[in-house]
Amino acid sequence: MGKLMLLLYFILSVFPADATENRRHIHVVRRGSKNSHRGDTVAKIWIEENGKKKIEVAWSELSADEEAEVIKAIDEHWEELNKLIDDVFAGKKIKIKRIK
């Protein structure tokens, strides 16, 4: 799993298998889970379509307030998230960004 950002009590991540998908997305994992893998994902959020910013919730178990906070963070850090995703898919080591 490529951890990108820590936001409140969530980890925004990508998975290596996601590199082949047609549309970029982020998995939201609740921090403190015993295992940070797909089974602990609480939301999947599309962040682009055809290379342009388009943030949409694919599915979510988050509350409305949590979802709004995550979407706001993705919107505000969209360019940086995309660079981090590029680096993860290129096999580069990244520094996990902490946001409040």
Side-chain angles (χ1 to χ4, degrees), residues 6-85:
L6 302 178
L7 168 67
L8 302 172
Y9 35 88
F10 298 110
I11 302 167
L12 305 184
S13 304
V14 292
F15 296 101
D18 294 344
T20 60
E21 295 217 14
N22 294 334
R23 194 169 172 198
R24 274 198 177 178
H25 59 277
I26 291 176
H27 297 271
V28 181
V29 178
R30 192 171 299 276
R31 287 176 71 179
S33 296
K34 291 181 183 177
N35 300 306
S36 293
H37 57 75
R38 289 179 197 259
D40 295 317
T41 300
V42 293
K44 178 178 177 179
I45 301 176
W46 301 111
I47 65 167
E48 63 82 40
E49 187 170 53
N50 298 320
K52 298 191 192 279
K53 183 194 274 188
K54 185 172 183 183
I55 302 169
E56 295 179 302
V57 176
W59 64 270
S60 173
E61 298 172 0
L62 301 170
S63 71
D65 288 342
E66 291 172 330
E67 196 172 284
E69 191 69 29
V70 170
I71 289 170
K72 178 182 174 195
I74 291 170
D75 185 49
E76 290 175 356
H77 299 276
W78 189 82
E79 288 180 18
E80 185 174 8
L81 280 166
N82 272 284
K83 174 153 181 9
L84 290 170
I85 291 169

